[in-house]
Amino acid sequence: MSLGSARHQKSAQVELPLEGSGEAAQPRRSGEAPTAANGNERPGNDRLMEQVVERSNAKAALKRIRQNKGGSGVDGMSVDELPGYLVRHWEAIRAQLLDGTYQPKPVRRQEIPKSGGGVRELGIPCVLDRFIQQAILQVLQPMFDPTFSEHSYGFRPGRNAHQAVCVAQKYIQEGRRVVVDIDLEKFFDRVNHDVLMGRLAKRIGDKRMLKLIRRYLNAGVMVHGVVMERYEGTPQGGPLSPLLANVLLDEVDKELERRGIAFVRYADDLNAYVGSKRAGEDVMETLRRLYAGLRLRINEAKSAVAKPEDRKFLGYSFFDEEGTVRLCVAPKVLTAMKDRVREIVNRTGGRNIPAMVAELRRYLPGWKQYFRLADTPQVFHDLDAWIRRRLRMVHLKLWKQGQTVFRELRARGLSIRAAAAVAAHCRRWWRTAGHVGLHTALPNRYFARIGVPRLES
């Protein structure tokens, strides 16, 4: 596939697929101009757009976009259609980016349910704009990331949520038994464009780059076919938004560092750890003031100065076991997980067992991988047993009639007496799913054989 016109296909060949994955492309090191020690502009900073459209950078951006897939934007173009589109139009797009005239399309609004209730609004850029944003990210990330706070872990190369959780655990273990848990009120919707652009202008000398980022911030949102203008916020859903969030919030990080406060931040989630309630209240007031300077507000209803075990951080909770601080899955997260399993393993959903197992195989391994730090094996053991019981219940529902239940259980080796006992109460779905006879006919090894994932290691 090519990034140039058809006559340049051979020289602009795109190699697929892209290897690796993550929240952001790893910073390029070879041939990279050094970052100034004080975080100011680098040499050649006024020609960043040339780096954006450079062949190898564009190829890497295309690979990343194809790897990440994602839905279509307002123009309906799919990720698979993008390479062919670039073959025909890249030269014109490249020229517009270099002369500063490229105009992004509005984003498509998509609402997804939040685990705690309500919805989160995503702004899905069209595929071409995701590609351009990714190309910009690959140029800006190596500039900004080395200057970010060591206490920031979200959307940064080589950093992840598990590291953030482990740092929080370490702070608590060291004796900081009060947490200042901050939730910013609709952060991605409330980012002030002027404040953010002022921070970017201190580091970016290429006016075309600044103008293009401003256009991405101002791009409207299409709702029910009508484009609504936007004067604040950076919509979640584009590759560039996480970096812009870190650029804005790094100012608060640096001030907390200067004051010697122990804290950890992942995107807009920040927890500071102190030794007393009084110190926590002081930090909370400091953060109110710092965020107000960025035109941001703390959600007072969801923020608190409290004991760490009474709060959650990135889906984990903390508990003390004989003086050792350990991790567990937060209760609300467990509730949300069980709700999702109920949706998948639904006795009234009209799907068959293989379809349910296939969906469990898509969901459970990722959930298990994220919560592998939890030191609560009994919880995972109980969840496994609960999931298998739901599957046994669905078997009963699919068999429907008592005669069918009796025949199926007999075929699986159950005695006449035991099969009859189960069949007699087969319409008490959940209660009968725990019957020892059904466990004998549908043992754990049966579910392992059909591919049901296990959470307990």
Side-chain angles (χ1 to χ4, degrees):
M1 196 57 61
S2 165
L3 284 174
S5 61
R7 65 179 181 275
H8 293 135
Q9 286 184 19
K10 184 175 180 180
S11 63
Q13 182 179 2
V14 176
E15 301 158 353
L16 298 172
L18 175 65
E19 295 181 358
S21 62
E23 294 166 332
Q26 292 288 337
R28 294 177 296 167
R29 300 300 181 189
S30 58
E32 185 177 295
T35 302
N38 61 3
N40 292 327
E41 297 178 8
R42 301 185 315 169
N45 194 297
D46 59 343
R47 295 185 62 80
L48 294 177
M49 199 59 73
E50 278 73 14
Q51 298 179 39
V52 169
V53 302
E54 194 265 335
R55 176 174 172 267
S56 62
N57 187 63
K59 285 171 57 180
L62 178 58
K63 290 179 183 179
R64 182 57 61 101
I65 292 301
R66 296 194 70 184
Q67 180 191 43
N68 291 346
K69 301 185 184 298
S72 302
V74 297
D75 59 358
M77 184 190 301
S78 69
V79 172
D80 291 336
E81 293 173 309
L82 178 60
Y85 182 86
L86 291 174
V87 168
R88 300 186 297 274
H89 301 288
W90 173 242
E91 291 300 332
I93 295 168
R94 182 179 183 276
Q96 291 173 17
L97 291 171
L98 289 175
D99 64 22
T101 60
Y102 180 81
Q103 183 64 50
K105 290 183 174 62
V107 300
R108 175 174 63 86
R109 188 172 74 177
Q110 178 174 324
E111 296 181 348
I112 60 173
K114 299 171 68 173
S115 59
V119 295
R120 175 179 288 108
E121 292 186 358
L122 299 182
I124 308 300
C126 68
V127 174
L128 176 60
D129 283 321
R130 293 210 300 271
F131 161 72
I132 294 172
Q133 286 192 34
Q134 180 65 34
I136 294 172
L137 175 66
Q138 292 166 183
V139 171
L140 296 186
Q141 187 95 45
M143 285 177 53
F144 283 91
D145 195 84
T147 67
F148 286 154
S149 167
E150 286 299 308
H151 298 83
S152 165
Y153 290 87
F155 308 107
R156 298 182 59 188
R159 289 169 170 257
N160 56 49
H162 283 170
Q163 293 170 338
V165 170
C166 288
V167 170
Q169 182 184 21
K170 178 178 74 73
Y171 286 149
I172 300 168
Q173 185 66 58
E174 290 172 347
R176 299 178 177 91
R177 296 304 174 100
V178 174
V179 61
V180 184
D181 185 2
I182 297 296
D183 182 276
L184 291 177
E185 189 174 283
K186 296 183 178 180
F187 168 70
F188 284 94
D189 296 330
R190 296 283 172 81
V191 170
N192 183 278
H193 293 176
D194 292 334
V195 173
L196 174 58
M197 292 307 302
R199 302 306 185 271
L200 292 171
K202 294 178 181 179
R203 301 282 304 278
I204 296 175
D206 192 327
K207 303 302 182 183
R208 298 165 300 176
M209 176 74 79
L210 293 171
K211 183 186 296 184
L212 181 57
I213 293 175
R214 169 73 83 165
R215 286 175 175 169
Y216 274 121
L217 292 173
N218 290 341
V221 180
M222 182 168 285
V223 183
H224 304 305
V226 178
V227 177
M228 303 173 61
E229 293 184 345
R230 186 173 69 235
Y231 300 101
E232 64 178 1
T234 171
Q236 299 180 71
L240 201 53
S241 292
L243 176 64
L244 298 181
N246 278 333
V247 168
L248 184 64
L249 295 176
D250 187 61
E251 181 173 313
V252 175
D253 296 346
K254 294 295 176 55
E255 180 60 23
L256 294 179
E257 285 182 347
R258 189 184 70 80
R259 293 169 180 254
I261 296 171
F263 74 98
V264 57
R265 180 175 66 81
Y266 189 95
D268 57 328
D269 290 324
L270 183 144
N271 277 12
Y273 295 90
V274 295
S276 69
K277 184 86 170 180
R278 174 68 179 272
E281 296 291 352
D282 289 344
V283 171
M284 177 67 83
E285 187 56 39
T286 296
L287 287 169
R288 287 193 187 98
R289 187 168 59 254
L290 292 174
Y291 286 127
L294 298 177
R295 314 266 185 96
L296 298 171
R297 289 200 300 268
I298 291 176
N299 186 329
E300 300 292 347
K302 295 183 178 181
S303 302
V305 177
K307 295 179 180 179
E309 56 266 32
D310 295 334
R311 309 294 292 180
K312 67 180 178 69
F313 182 54
L314 301 179
Y316 282 89
S317 289
F318 306 92
F319 68 99
D320 190 298
E321 185 177 69
E322 298 180 352
T324 300
V325 176
R326 301 192 184 278
L327 298 171
C328 63
V329 183
K332 287 185 178 180
V333 175
L334 282 176
T335 299
M337 180 267 195
K338 296 181 79 170
D339 287 344
R340 177 68 183 121
V341 172
R342 287 188 184 96
E343 292 176 3
I344 297 171
V345 185
N346 188 342
R347 63 184 175 89
T348 61
R351 291 180 299 171
N352 57 30
I353 295 297
M356 295 179 187
V357 171
E359 195 162 351
L360 287 174
R361 288 174 64 85
R362 288 190 290 270
Y363 174 66
L364 291 179
W367 192 92
K368 175 183 178 179
Q369 173 67 13
Y370 182 79
F371 289 105
R372 68 181 188 271
L373 299 182
D375 192 18
T376 50
Q378 186 62 44
V379 171
F380 296 129
H381 173 84
D382 293 345
L383 284 172
D384 281 334
W386 177 78
I387 291 169
R388 289 192 294 265
R389 182 168 178 173
R390 288 200 64 83
L391 286 166
R392 292 186 181 102
M393 179 185 69
V394 170
H395 276 77
L396 288 175
K397 176 64 176 178
L398 294 176
W399 290 336
K400 295 183 179 179
Q401 302 298 324
Q403 290 180 342
T404 305
V405 172
F406 180 82
R407 185 177 65 249
E408 291 288 346
L409 296 181
R410 287 288 289 145
R412 286 165 169 77
L414 212 59
S415 68
I416 293 176
R417 183 176 180 179
V422 174
H425 303 284
C426 65
R427 289 190 175 275
R428 295 182 177 181
W429 311 116
W430 180 248
R431 180 176 178 179
T432 306
H435 193 284
V436 64
L438 199 58
H439 277 249
T440 302
L442 299 174
N444 293 352
R445 63 178 178 274
Y446 161 74
F447 294 109
R449 187 169 68 250
I450 65 174
V452 177
R454 289 177 62 92
L455 298 175
E456 184 181 20
S457 299

